[in-house]
Amino acid sequence: MSTATYTVKGMTCGHCVSSVKEEVGEVAGVTGVEVDLATGLLTVESAAPVEESQIVAAVEAAGYEVAHQS
């Protein structure tokens, strides 16, 4: 199991959180997605590491920006 954390910029409401969760959840290999609106933290769980570029693309498809990965 692999866990990666990202900071997402631009989310302001529950709909934002839902959009990010939906897009990231569709990335192949992702098994769990948690988003904290207050901190902007996106936690992605997967069976094996997922390419950061796939997560960034999914966040951008939802209309937001990844500030950095931790």
Side-chain angles (χ1 to χ4, degrees):
M1 180 128 173
S2 177
T3 303
T5 305
Y6 304 84
T7 301
V8 178
K9 293 182 3 182
M11 296 186 300
T12 59
C13 64
H15 179 72
C16 302
V17 169
S18 296
S19 296
V20 170
K21 276 187 167 182
E22 183 178 335
E23 290 293 338
V24 174
E26 292 178 1
V27 173
V30 171
T31 58
V33 180
E34 291 297 324
V35 180
D36 185 320
L37 178 61
T39 61
L41 285 181
L42 163 65
T43 304
V44 180
E45 295 180 353
S46 55
V50 175
E51 288 290 324
E52 179 179 351
S53 61
Q54 292 180 290
I55 302 301
V56 171
V59 171
E60 289 175 352
Y64 306 97
E65 177 185 348
V66 172
H68 64 81
Q69 177 185 6
S70 26

